[in-house]
Amino acid sequence: MSLQPTTTVARIAGYVGETVTLAGWVYHKTGKGKLVFLLLRDGSGTIQCVIFKKQVSETTFALAQQLGQEAACRVTGSVRADERAPGGFELDVHELELVGPSVDYPISPKEHGVEFLMEHRHLWVRSARQHALLRVRAEVIAAAQEWLNEQGFIRFDSPILTATAAEGTSNLFATDYFDLGKAYLAQTGQLYVEAGMMAFGKVYCFGPTFRAEKSKTRRHLTEFWMIEPEVAFADHEDNLVLQEQFVSAIVQRVLERRAADLDVLERDTTVLKRCVPPFPRISYDDALELINAHQGEVEGATPVPWGEDFGAPHEQLIASQFDRPVFVERYPAAIKAFYMEPDPARPEVALCADLLAPEGYGEIIGGSQRIHDPDLLERRINEHGLDVADYRWYLDLRRYGTVPHSGFGMGIERAVAWITGTRHIRETIPFPRMLYRIYP
């Protein structure tokens, strides 16, 4: 038998009536007297393999009866269309070869608790639901990068180890960096991407970011992935238009290419199909009024004094009033990052926005127009209690050819959670890092 498979399950439709070899793992097995049914998965899909005792050798049939869940094998047989079969095709097996045995696989079809499944995350990712989630995640990442590339953006990688904070010093992971003092795991790549923006005009970075928040909510991870575009000569309005086009393109591509995975997840795609521009926009002030008018409709969404940020219940309540993602813009400058441009007509608020997803998923994007005046930026750094000396290079970007510019960051896991309808963010990343979990 050849070492390489003839084809994959995803391409099996092109081989009806032919003999092929598939290589994969036993997802499920049942036996009925002289028949053994193997559900084989190969990463691209699953197919039912039928082993009839009269059509194979005694050795092959005995092997089929002994195969355990997740045993790796090569299967050769003829492809047959069958509407009743999973995926619409079956393989009538001629030959079977065991590649890697599996005995007492710990994740059986019975119910398991979350802690058990998280302890076995390295195996749990093989299950149908987790498989579908991670395929959607991969599609979201590909769609995001390819759309930006098509729009003329350049990927500009930012460092993971940094010397300074970007969004406050209270949630940093610190480490000793040789003789140079402390270094920190990056909260964002944004400051460095702004340097790339001044070189290339339109750039983005993509990679892991870290927040040392002691949060145990279903929306938080300590390590997550962000994609962060930045655009020169772009104001706040340009930024909002870019975001709604970006998110819509990603969602529509997932609907087109990952429909089968969304079916596995039993995702109601009605709201996703409505994810087309323009998105509604409300101000922070309008959001306060909306919360007051609808308090009690979402548990915990109590009135918020002006100048305080929203919690998850408030975001859920706001988003529930719209049929697609909604921008909340112009938050109080005092509760936002030091680099956000004040509204010239009303300096106490910033030219910023959070994009809230429907169905209680909350913020998936945060963005703003950036301060481009060096004196104002230096003043804001001081007001936030940061050391100006640490930001000399960042101030240089404003001293040499400064321009108005804007950007945003989209958290991959939050976007995937919303698109897939997954309630807990821990299932949207292969190996989640949370307050009480760093294994495996």
Side-chain angles (χ1 to χ4, degrees):
M1 188 179 291
S2 170
L3 291 176
Q4 291 296 321
T6 303
T7 189
T8 62
V9 173
R11 297 181 176 181
I12 203 72
Y15 292 88
V16 173
E18 298 182 34
T19 297
V20 300
T21 297
L22 298 173
W25 297 265
V26 176
Y27 190 71
H28 186 62
K29 184 186 76 174
T30 57
K32 294 182 180 179
K34 298 180 180 179
L35 286 171
V36 174
F37 298 94
L38 297 181
L39 193 60
L40 187 80
R41 64 170 191 86
D42 70 349
S44 75
T46 58
I47 187 170
Q48 183 162 275
C49 303
V50 182
I51 303 159
F52 187 32
K53 187 173 184 179
K54 289 185 177 180
Q55 295 178 348
V56 297
S57 68
E58 291 185 9
T59 302
T60 296
F61 192 76
L63 174 59
Q65 291 178 307
Q66 295 166 9
L67 287 175
Q69 184 182 352
E70 289 301 318
C73 54
R74 293 189 186 89
V75 182
T76 297
S78 55
V79 181
R80 174 167 49 85
D82 188 336
E83 294 181 357
R84 299 167 300 174
F89 300 93
E90 283 189 341
L91 193 72
D92 290 327
V93 176
H94 307 154
E95 298 178 56
L96 179 64
E97 177 188 353
L98 178 64
V99 177
S102 176
V103 179
D104 298 327
Y105 185 69
I107 304 180
S108 61
K110 70 177 184 180
E111 287 290 324
H112 295 282
V114 170
E115 281 304 309
F116 177 88
L117 292 171
M118 293 303 297
E119 283 289 311
H120 294 83
R121 182 63 175 167
H122 53 296
L123 302 177
W124 191 25
V125 295
R126 302 182 187 186
S127 69
R129 176 179 167 81
Q130 302 305 310
H131 192 263
L133 279 164
L134 296 178
R135 284 180 73 91
V136 172
R137 175 193 170 92
E139 194 68 50
V140 167
I141 291 170
Q145 293 199 92
E146 289 172 23
W147 189 86
L148 290 170
N149 294 342
E150 290 168 1
Q151 305 305 311
F153 284 76
I154 299 295
R155 178 164 172 170
F156 186 84
D157 293 328
S158 59
I160 290 175
L161 285 171
T162 70
T164 56
E167 299 187 4
T169 58
S170 63
N171 58 1
L172 292 165
F173 286 107
T175 184
D176 292 323
Y177 195 78
F178 304 109
D179 297 327
L180 299 180
K182 291 291 183 183
Y184 306 95
L185 295 181
Q187 303 158 303
T188 172
Q190 180 212 310
L191 273 60
Y192 295 95
V193 175
E194 288 186 54
M197 172 271 303
M198 293 290 282
F200 297 99
K202 297 198 295 186
V203 297
Y204 70 94
C205 67
F206 175 59
T209 53
F210 306 85
R211 303 286 168 86
E213 296 176 270
K214 292 187 175 181
S215 176
K216 296 185 289 184
T217 79
R218 64 181 177 85
R219 300 173 58 203
H220 285 86
L221 296 169
T222 58
E223 175 185 316
F224 58 98
W225 287 66
M226 286 257 283
I227 190 159
E228 301 179 80
E230 200 77 23
V231 185
F233 303 100
D235 62 16
H236 175 61
E237 176 64 24
D238 298 324
N239 200 23
L240 299 188
V241 171
L242 178 64
Q243 290 175 51
E244 61 190 6
Q245 291 176 344
F246 177 68
V247 171
S248 177
I250 292 169
V251 171
Q252 299 311 313
R253 173 161 155 171
V254 170
L255 285 170
E256 176 187 349
R257 301 192 184 186
R258 298 266 66 91
D261 294 309
L262 295 176
D263 285 343
V264 169
L265 298 168
E266 300 180 329
R267 177 60 161 127
D268 179 357
T269 58
T270 305
V271 69
L272 299 179
K273 292 173 181 175
R274 292 197 297 261
C275 185
V276 293
F279 294 167
R281 305 174 187 183
I282 63 171
S283 69
Y284 172 86
D285 295 335
D286 293 336
L288 291 181
E289 292 182 9
L290 190 152
I291 291 167
N292 287 334
H294 295 273
Q295 60 179 295
E297 294 181 14
V298 173
E299 184 179 355
T302 54
V304 178
W306 197 95
E308 291 190 11
D309 208 350
F310 300 134
H314 303 105
E315 292 181 348
Q316 181 179 347
L317 187 152
I318 294 165
S320 70
Q321 306 302 308
F322 302 91
D323 68 351
R324 67 197 67 198
V326 55
F327 288 111
V328 180
E329 56 178 335
R330 290 176 165 82
Y331 285 76
I335 62 173
K336 288 298 184 179
F338 69 88
Y339 49 73
M340 294 188 179
E341 179 77 19
D343 185 345
R346 191 183 171 199
E348 69 270 23
V349 301
L351 294 176
C352 65
D354 289 345
L355 183 63
L356 308 184
E359 304 169 280
Y361 285 91
E363 178 195 342
I364 56 173
I365 286 182
S368 73
Q369 185 172 329
R370 320 306 192 187
I371 293 174
H372 61 277
D373 176 77
D375 295 332
L376 175 57
L377 180 60
E378 184 169 342
R379 188 159 67 247
R380 290 300 301 276
I381 291 171
N382 281 315
E383 289 172 356
H384 280 252
L386 301 171
D387 188 346
V388 172
D390 290 338
Y391 296 88
R392 291 191 308 272
W393 69 270
Y394 190 59
L395 285 162
D396 278 350
L397 303 179
R398 278 75 177 166
R399 295 188 177 109
Y400 305 109
T402 188
V403 298
H405 60 286
S406 300
F408 64 88
M410 184 181 81
I412 294 297
E413 289 75 22
R414 285 195 181 179
V416 172
W418 166 54
I419 292 170
T420 59
T422 304
R423 299 311 300 174
H424 204 298
I425 201 169
R426 66 187 165 215
E427 295 183 51
T428 64
I429 188 170
F431 293 97
R433 297 293 178 246
M434 298 177 291
L435 182 58
Y436 294 120
R437 177 153 307 278
I438 199 168
Y439 175 91

Short mmCIF file of all heavy atoms in Angstrom, two decimals, residues 390-422:
data_model
loop_
_atom_site.label_atom_id
_atom_site.label_comp_id
_atom_site.label_asym_id
_atom_site.label_seq_id
_atom_site.Cartn_x
_atom_site.Cartn_y
_atom_site.Cartn_z
N ASP A 390 10.56 57.00 27.92
CA ASP A 390 10.29 55.68 27.33
C ASP A 390 9.63 55.78 25.97
O ASP A 390 9.58 54.79 25.22
CB ASP A 390 9.38 54.86 28.26
CG ASP A 390 10.09 54.43 29.53
OD1 ASP A 390 11.34 54.37 29.53
OD2 ASP A 390 9.39 54.16 30.53
N TYR A 391 9.10 56.94 25.65
CA TYR A 391 8.32 57.11 24.42
C TYR A 391 8.99 58.09 23.46
O TYR A 391 8.33 58.64 22.58
CB TYR A 391 6.90 57.59 24.76
CG TYR A 391 6.12 56.57 25.57
CD1 TYR A 391 6.20 56.57 26.96
CD2 TYR A 391 5.35 55.61 24.94
CE1 TYR A 391 5.51 55.62 27.70
CE2 TYR A 391 4.65 54.67 25.68
CZ TYR A 391 4.74 54.67 27.06
OH TYR A 391 4.05 53.73 27.79
N ARG A 392 10.28 58.27 23.59
CA ARG A 392 11.00 59.20 22.69
C ARG A 392 10.81 58.83 21.23
O ARG A 392 10.53 59.68 20.39
CB ARG A 392 12.50 59.23 23.02
CG ARG A 392 12.86 59.87 24.34
CD ARG A 392 14.36 60.10 24.46
NE ARG A 392 15.12 58.89 24.20
CZ ARG A 392 15.44 57.99 25.13
NH1 ARG A 392 15.06 58.18 26.38
NH2 ARG A 392 16.15 56.91 24.82
N TRP A 393 10.94 57.53 20.95
CA TRP A 393 10.82 57.09 19.56
C TRP A 393 9.40 57.29 19.04
O TRP A 393 9.20 57.63 17.87
CB TRP A 393 11.23 55.61 19.44
CG TRP A 393 10.28 54.65 20.09
CD1 TRP A 393 10.30 54.20 21.36
CD2 TRP A 393 9.13 54.05 19.47
NE1 TRP A 393 9.24 53.34 21.59
CE2 TRP A 393 8.51 53.23 20.45
CE3 TRP A 393 8.57 54.09 18.20
CZ2 TRP A 393 7.37 52.48 20.19
CZ3 TRP A 393 7.42 53.35 17.94
CH2 TRP A 393 6.84 52.55 18.93
N TYR A 394 8.42 57.11 19.92
CA TYR A 394 7.02 57.27 19.53
C TYR A 394 6.71 58.74 19.25
O TYR A 394 5.98 59.07 18.31
CB TYR A 394 6.13 56.72 20.64
CG TYR A 394 4.67 56.59 20.30
CD1 TYR A 394 4.23 55.81 19.24
CD2 TYR A 394 3.71 57.24 21.07
CE1 TYR A 394 2.88 55.68 18.95
CE2 TYR A 394 2.35 57.12 20.78
CZ TYR A 394 1.95 56.34 19.72
OH TYR A 394 0.61 56.21 19.42
N LEU A 395 7.31 59.63 20.04
CA LEU A 395 7.16 61.06 19.80
C LEU A 395 7.87 61.48 18.52
O LEU A 395 7.43 62.41 17.83
CB LEU A 395 7.68 61.86 21.00
CG LEU A 395 6.78 61.85 22.24
CD1 LEU A 395 7.56 62.26 23.48
CD2 LEU A 395 5.58 62.75 22.02
N ASP A 396 8.97 60.79 18.19
CA ASP A 396 9.68 61.10 16.93
C ASP A 396 8.76 60.97 15.72
O ASP A 396 8.91 61.70 14.73
CB ASP A 396 10.86 60.15 16.74
CG ASP A 396 12.10 60.59 17.52
OD1 ASP A 396 12.10 61.72 18.05
OD2 ASP A 396 13.05 59.78 17.61
N LEU A 397 7.82 60.03 15.78
CA LEU A 397 6.90 59.85 14.65
C LEU A 397 6.08 61.10 14.40
O LEU A 397 5.63 61.35 13.27
CB LEU A 397 5.97 58.66 14.91
CG LEU A 397 6.63 57.30 15.18
CD1 LEU A 397 5.57 56.24 15.45
CD2 LEU A 397 7.52 56.89 14.03
N ARG A 398 5.88 61.91 15.44
CA ARG A 398 5.14 63.16 15.31
C ARG A 398 6.05 64.34 14.97
O ARG A 398 5.57 65.38 14.52
CB ARG A 398 4.41 63.48 16.62
CG ARG A 398 3.08 62.75 16.78
CD ARG A 398 3.24 61.29 17.11
NE ARG A 398 1.94 60.64 17.33
CZ ARG A 398 1.78 59.34 17.37
NH1 ARG A 398 2.81 58.52 17.22
NH2 ARG A 398 0.58 58.83 17.56
N ARG A 399 7.33 64.18 15.20
CA ARG A 399 8.27 65.29 14.94
C ARG A 399 8.76 65.31 13.50
O ARG A 399 9.22 66.34 13.00
CB ARG A 399 9.46 65.17 15.90
CG ARG A 399 9.08 65.35 17.37
CD ARG A 399 10.32 65.43 18.25
NE ARG A 399 9.97 65.66 19.65
CZ ARG A 399 10.10 64.76 20.61
NH1 ARG A 399 10.56 63.54 20.33
NH2 ARG A 399 9.77 65.04 21.85
N TYR A 400 8.71 64.16 12.85
CA TYR A 400 9.27 64.06 11.50
C TYR A 400 8.18 63.62 10.53
O TYR A 400 7.97 62.44 10.30
CB TYR A 400 10.44 63.08 11.48
CG TYR A 400 11.51 63.43 12.49
CD1 TYR A 400 11.70 62.65 13.63
CD2 TYR A 400 12.31 64.56 12.32
CE1 TYR A 400 12.67 62.96 14.56
CE2 TYR A 400 13.29 64.88 13.26
CZ TYR A 400 13.46 64.09 14.38
OH TYR A 400 14.42 64.42 15.31
N GLY A 401 7.48 64.60 9.97
CA GLY A 401 6.47 64.31 8.95
C GLY A 401 5.15 63.82 9.51
O GLY A 401 4.51 62.94 8.92
N THR A 402 4.70 64.39 10.63
CA THR A 402 3.47 63.91 11.26
C THR A 402 2.25 64.11 10.35
O THR A 402 2.18 65.07 9.59
CB THR A 402 3.23 64.62 12.60
OG1 THR A 402 2.12 64.00 13.27
CG2 THR A 402 2.93 66.10 12.43
N VAL A 403 1.32 63.18 10.44
CA VAL A 403 0.07 63.27 9.67
C VAL A 403 -1.07 62.73 10.53
O VAL A 403 -0.85 61.89 11.41
CB VAL A 403 0.12 62.44 8.36
CG1 VAL A 403 1.20 62.96 7.43
CG2 VAL A 403 0.33 60.95 8.65
N PRO A 404 -2.30 63.19 10.31
CA PRO A 404 -3.44 62.53 10.96
C PRO A 404 -3.47 61.05 10.53
O PRO A 404 -3.22 60.73 9.37
CB PRO A 404 -4.65 63.29 10.41
CG PRO A 404 -4.10 64.61 9.97
CD PRO A 404 -2.73 64.32 9.48
N HIS A 405 -3.75 60.19 11.48
CA HIS A 405 -3.80 58.76 11.15
C HIS A 405 -4.70 58.04 12.14
O HIS A 405 -4.97 58.53 13.24
CB HIS A 405 -2.40 58.14 11.13
CG HIS A 405 -1.66 58.23 12.43
ND1 HIS A 405 -1.10 59.41 12.89
CD2 HIS A 405 -1.39 57.30 13.37
CE1 HIS A 405 -0.50 59.20 14.04
NE2 HIS A 405 -0.67 57.91 14.36
N SER A 406 -5.17 56.88 11.72
CA SER A 406 -6.14 56.13 12.52
C SER A 406 -5.89 54.64 12.39
O SER A 406 -5.25 54.18 11.42
CB SER A 406 -7.57 56.44 12.06
OG SER A 406 -7.87 57.81 12.19
N GLY A 407 -6.42 53.89 13.34
CA GLY A 407 -6.29 52.44 13.28
C GLY A 407 -7.18 51.77 14.29
O GLY A 407 -7.89 52.41 15.06
N PHE A 408 -7.12 50.44 14.30
CA PHE A 408 -7.96 49.66 15.21
C PHE A 408 -7.35 48.29 15.43
O PHE A 408 -6.43 47.87 14.71
CB PHE A 408 -9.38 49.53 14.66
CG PHE A 408 -9.49 48.77 13.36
CD1 PHE A 408 -9.66 47.39 13.34
CD2 PHE A 408 -9.46 49.45 12.14
CE1 PHE A 408 -9.78 46.70 12.15
CE2 PHE A 408 -9.59 48.76 10.95
CZ PHE A 408 -9.74 47.39 10.95
N GLY A 409 -7.87 47.60 16.42
CA GLY A 409 -7.45 46.23 16.68
C GLY A 409 -8.67 45.34 16.82
O GLY A 409 -9.62 45.68 17.53
N MET A 410 -8.66 44.19 16.13
CA MET A 410 -9.73 43.21 16.26
C MET A 410 -9.20 41.97 16.95
O MET A 410 -8.22 41.37 16.50
CB MET A 410 -10.31 42.81 14.90
CG MET A 410 -11.49 41.85 15.03
SD MET A 410 -12.20 41.33 13.45
CE MET A 410 -11.04 40.02 12.99
N GLY A 411 -9.84 41.59 18.05
CA GLY A 411 -9.47 40.36 18.73
C GLY A 411 -10.02 39.17 17.98
O GLY A 411 -11.24 39.05 17.79
N ILE A 412 -9.15 38.29 17.53
CA ILE A 412 -9.56 37.14 16.72
C ILE A 412 -10.53 36.26 17.50
O ILE A 412 -11.58 35.83 16.98
CB ILE A 412 -8.33 36.33 16.28
CG1 ILE A 412 -7.45 37.15 15.32
CG2 ILE A 412 -8.77 35.00 15.62
CD1 ILE A 412 -8.13 37.52 14.02
N GLU A 413 -10.22 35.98 18.75
CA GLU A 413 -11.05 35.03 19.50
C GLU A 413 -12.46 35.57 19.75
O GLU A 413 -13.44 34.83 19.68
CB GLU A 413 -10.37 34.69 20.84
CG GLU A 413 -9.12 33.82 20.70
CD GLU A 413 -7.91 34.60 20.18
OE1 GLU A 413 -7.88 35.84 20.32
OE2 GLU A 413 -7.00 33.96 19.64
N ARG A 414 -12.57 36.86 20.06
CA ARG A 414 -13.91 37.42 20.27
C ARG A 414 -14.71 37.42 18.97
O ARG A 414 -15.92 37.16 18.97
CB ARG A 414 -13.81 38.83 20.84
CG ARG A 414 -13.42 38.85 22.31
CD ARG A 414 -13.69 40.20 22.92
NE ARG A 414 -13.32 40.23 24.33
CZ ARG A 414 -13.42 41.30 25.10
NH1 ARG A 414 -13.90 42.43 24.58
NH2 ARG A 414 -13.06 41.27 26.36
N ALA A 415 -14.05 37.73 17.87
CA ALA A 415 -14.74 37.71 16.58
C ALA A 415 -15.21 36.29 16.25
O ALA A 415 -16.34 36.08 15.80
CB ALA A 415 -13.84 38.25 15.48
N VAL A 416 -14.35 35.31 16.49
CA VAL A 416 -14.71 33.92 16.21
C VAL A 416 -15.84 33.46 17.12
O VAL A 416 -16.75 32.75 16.69
CB VAL A 416 -13.47 33.01 16.34
CG1 VAL A 416 -13.86 31.53 16.25
CG2 VAL A 416 -12.44 33.35 15.28
N ALA A 417 -15.78 33.86 18.40
CA ALA A 417 -16.85 33.47 19.33
C ALA A 417 -18.20 33.96 18.82
O ALA A 417 -19.20 33.22 18.83
CB ALA A 417 -16.57 34.04 20.72
N TRP A 418 -18.24 35.21 18.36
CA TRP A 418 -19.51 35.74 17.85
C TRP A 418 -19.93 35.03 16.56
O TRP A 418 -21.07 34.58 16.42
CB TRP A 418 -19.39 37.25 17.60
CG TRP A 418 -20.53 37.76 16.78
CD1 TRP A 418 -21.86 37.61 17.03
CD2 TRP A 418 -20.43 38.47 15.53
NE1 TRP A 418 -22.62 38.20 16.03
CE2 TRP A 418 -21.75 38.74 15.10
CE3 TRP A 418 -19.37 38.92 14.76
CZ2 TRP A 418 -22.03 39.41 13.91
CZ3 TRP A 418 -19.64 39.62 13.59
CH2 TRP A 418 -20.96 39.85 13.18
N ILE A 419 -19.03 34.91 15.61
CA ILE A 419 -19.38 34.33 14.32
C ILE A 419 -19.86 32.89 14.47
O ILE A 419 -20.79 32.46 13.79
CB ILE A 419 -18.17 34.41 13.36
CG1 ILE A 419 -17.90 35.89 12.99
CG2 ILE A 419 -18.42 33.60 12.09
CD1 ILE A 419 -16.60 36.10 12.25
N THR A 420 -19.27 32.15 15.40
CA THR A 420 -19.64 30.74 15.58
C THR A 420 -20.76 30.54 16.59
O THR A 420 -21.29 29.43 16.71
CB THR A 420 -18.43 29.92 16.04
OG1 THR A 420 -17.94 30.47 17.28
CG2 THR A 420 -17.33 29.92 14.99
N GLY A 421 -21.11 31.60 17.33
CA GLY A 421 -22.14 31.46 18.35
C GLY A 421 -21.66 30.71 19.58
O GLY A 421 -22.46 30.10 20.29
N THR A 422 -20.36 30.77 19.86
CA THR A 422 -19.78 30.07 20.99
C THR A 422 -19.83 30.94 22.24
O THR A 422 -19.39 32.09 22.21
CB THR A 422 -18.30 29.71 20.68
OG1 THR A 422 -18.27 28.95 19.48
CG2 THR A 422 -17.69 28.89 21.80
#
